[in-house]
Amino acid sequence: MSLAGILAACGGNDADSSTEEAQNGGDEGDTPSDVVETGDVDQGVEASGDEDVVLDMWIHQTGEDETDFYIERIDAFNEANDHIHVNAEIIIDDGGSSYSDAVNASLVAGNLPDVLALDGPYVASFAEADILMAVDDYLSDEDRSDFVDSILEQGSYNGELYSLGAMEASVPLYYNKDIFEEEGIEAPETLEDAWTWDEFMEVAQELTTEDRYGLNMFMNYGVGEWLTFMGAPFVWSNNGDIISEDGTTSEGYLNGPETLEALEYVKSLFEEGVVDLTPGEMQFEEGNAAMALGGPWIAVSAEDADLNWGMMPYPYSEQMKSPSGSMAYGVTTSSEHPDEAFELMHWMTNEESVEGLSEVTGMPPARISAFESMDKYQELPWSIMREQVIETAHARPQTPAYPVLTDAFAQAFHAAALGEDIQPVLDQQVQRVERELQRFND
């Protein structure tokens, strides 16, 4: 089965990681050409031949610090396991979808690696295509209970677990402390004090002036995964969903009354002029927006800009929900050494790896034990992100039709931002999703 169509949406503008998750790969039938071999290989130490098992692993390239961390962890795994040696390939990021192309080409050629990095929302596509093997039997109950629920949710398909992530993601409501102090506005500091939609709108309007927007939603990221990642919680918070729980239909969900009401609210934010449809890249960091719905990477850029900033919980309608999901690892069905491959997958997601990756990237950890051991998550502002990841995080739907579903929602969200009549757009997008779902429902 060719995954060219299924995986096409995996690349491009994906805001699930601390850097752009654009991915890269190589030529059909060969090892991907644009790769950096790592593990001990990168340092000139080849497998000695005494190892019982040699594993291949693919990792997408991100920022230099994050990539170096992956290399260090793989090197440490090789040193700790005399009977296993990992040959890892860091596939170079070219800003496109080449990582997906590499997976597709290697699938056709029959040379997939033993362990594969993949974007969490696409686990179902890989599982449905029989690329990933279920790992439930390998994971102990104690270990399973240490992962935050959203990591297990994003890694599961049809009741089986296929992937584990080392880091999570979230979208808090950032705010400019100086502006809030000037305007006499008190920011909520716990989930219990989170703003409702009405309260959020009122404050956003109050903070909007001729020279400043009340809110930045980073619409400059484009019409892509960001709009689903950041925007779908408006629907979930309104007791809605964008696909049925059993994944068989989007009719009555993506175009249902809860989704319509949520996008009408989003539409009103733009109609009231509190959000800029075309913000500058550093609008929030430069003080030209008082608040921002952004990922963990905004904390890094705000800190670099010397901004006096804080975090608040994601605003809600009927129930508190927040974005989640990031890169994960899976064992491929083509691996001849699944036991050892899971050992590697587990190593890359154990507490030491999870904690170290969080320190390097600023992304929240995937394990509860890491949250408990890291001091920064015990106090503001990062306690907000801890609370969201543990208590309100909601994974995007696991369906093999996800590439079409997420584009359909993003198109509808963008239509709302443009002030269009939303119901006809939703109805049209549902037709697209239903056609795609037929492929998997038959």
Side-chain angles (χ1 to χ4, degrees):
M1 176 181 179
S2 173
L3 287 183
I6 293 177
L7 301 181
C10 293
N13 183 12
D14 185 350
D16 290 353
S17 185
S18 54
T19 59
E20 293 182 8
E21 293 297 351
Q23 302 157 330
N24 190 33
D27 301 324
E28 180 172 329
D30 299 314
T31 299
S33 57
D34 296 327
V35 302
V36 178
E37 290 194 351
T38 185
D40 289 333
V41 176
D42 188 53
Q43 301 177 18
V45 181
E46 298 286 352
S48 67
D50 295 331
E51 295 87 356
D52 296 326
V53 173
V54 176
L55 299 175
D56 292 322
M57 181 179 190
W58 284 8
I59 300 175
H60 69 299
Q61 184 194 45
T62 58
E64 183 178 353
D65 290 344
E66 185 177 342
T67 301
D68 287 347
F69 178 80
Y70 294 140
I71 293 172
E72 291 168 6
R73 291 303 292 158
I74 293 166
D75 284 346
F77 179 86
N78 283 336
E79 292 174 6
N81 292 273
D82 294 336
H83 67 294
I84 308 173
H85 183 88
V86 179
N87 292 323
E89 293 170 355
I90 308 295
I91 301 181
I92 294 174
D93 177 356
D94 71 344
S97 59
S98 302
Y99 187 83
S100 303
D101 295 340
V103 173
N104 187 56
S106 291
L107 176 64
V108 173
N111 59 1
L112 282 170
D114 298 273
V115 178
L116 185 70
L118 70 156
D119 197 5
Y122 298 92
V123 168
S125 295
F126 283 73
E128 176 70 22
D130 199 31
I131 292 177
L132 298 181
M133 59 171 280
V135 295
D136 297 89
D137 292 343
Y138 291 100
L139 192 65
S140 69
D141 290 342
E142 180 181 2
D143 211 22
R144 180 186 290 267
S145 66
D146 193 34
F147 283 97
V148 296
D149 290 343
S150 51
I151 284 291
L152 300 176
E153 189 180 353
Q154 83 159 6
S156 298
Y157 176 58
N158 284 345
E160 295 186 285
L161 182 68
Y162 288 90
S163 77
L164 290 171
M167 62 182 174
E168 248 297 1
S170 194
V171 173
L173 180 59
Y174 292 90
Y175 69 100
N176 186 312
K177 286 187 173 181
D178 293 336
I179 293 175
F180 268 51
E181 185 175 350
E182 291 170 7
E183 300 293 337
I185 297 173
E186 187 174 344
E189 296 184 344
T190 65
L191 291 183
E192 289 72 23
D193 297 325
W195 285 335
T196 64
W197 283 1
D198 288 342
E199 291 170 325
F200 181 44
M201 173 66 82
E202 184 180 343
V203 172
Q205 290 173 319
E206 184 178 346
L207 291 171
T208 300
T209 67
E210 291 184 1
D211 303 318
R212 180 183 70 215
Y213 286 91
L215 175 67
N216 185 348
M217 299 178 81
F218 299 97
M219 299 301 290
N220 54 301
Y221 287 176
V223 184
E225 187 62 28
W226 167 250
L227 296 185
T228 304
F229 177 64
M230 175 272 295
F234 282 104
V235 177
W236 301 327
S237 173
N238 201 40
N239 289 333
D241 216 326
I242 59 177
I243 193 171
S244 62
E245 187 174 354
D246 63 6
T248 59
T249 184
S250 62
E251 182 68 53
Y253 296 89
L254 180 59
N255 62 346
E258 296 86 0
T259 301
L260 176 62
E261 186 177 19
L263 292 185
E264 289 286 0
Y265 177 78
V266 170
K267 181 178 178 178
S268 70
L269 290 170
F270 289 87
E271 287 179 336
E272 292 296 321
V274 303
V275 187
D276 188 356
L277 189 61
T278 57
E281 184 177 352
M282 300 291 286
Q283 185 190 65
F284 174 67
E285 293 86 343
E286 292 172 350
N288 296 320
M291 299 182 290
L293 277 173
W297 50 92
I298 299 304
V300 177
S301 58
E303 197 71 28
D304 290 344
D306 233 6
L307 187 72
N308 187 15
W309 61 277
M311 289 183 195
M312 299 180 282
Y314 197 104
Y316 73 98
S317 174
E318 299 295 329
Q319 56 180 326
M320 294 182 189
K321 296 290 181 181
S322 58
S324 75
S326 192
M327 297 299 291
Y329 301 102
V331 176
T332 67
T333 53
S334 60
S335 176
E336 296 179 359
H337 308 286
D339 294 355
E340 291 81 3
F342 180 79
E343 284 188 53
L344 172 59
M345 175 179 167
H346 187 264
W347 174 276
M348 297 299 289
T349 58
N350 65 19
E351 186 177 350
E352 184 176 355
S353 293
V354 165
E355 201 171 310
L357 186 60
S358 180
E359 291 173 350
V360 167
T361 63
M363 300 290 278
R367 285 179 176 267
I368 296 170
S369 57
F371 275 118
E372 293 174 346
S373 63
M374 298 180 72
D375 290 340
K376 85 172 191 177
Y377 288 105
Q378 311 313 312
E379 56 187 29
L380 291 170
W382 293 96
S383 58
I384 295 292
M385 193 168 291
R386 184 199 75 230
E387 289 181 342
Q388 287 199 162
V389 170
I390 293 177
E391 299 183 35
T392 67
H394 188 91
R396 283 158 284 177
Q398 276 300 353
T399 168
Y402 185 79
V404 175
L405 178 64
T406 184
D407 182 67
F409 181 82
Q411 295 292 340
F413 190 100
H414 189 240
L418 293 174
E420 296 180 12
D421 187 359
I422 303 170
Q423 187 69 65
V425 175
L426 289 172
D427 291 339
Q428 183 181 36
Q429 294 300 330
V430 161
Q431 293 178 27
R432 290 180 57 208
V433 178
E434 291 302 295
R435 286 194 297 269
E436 182 69 7
L437 285 170
Q438 285 178 6
R439 298 177 50 206
F440 309 104
N441 291 340
D442 293 340

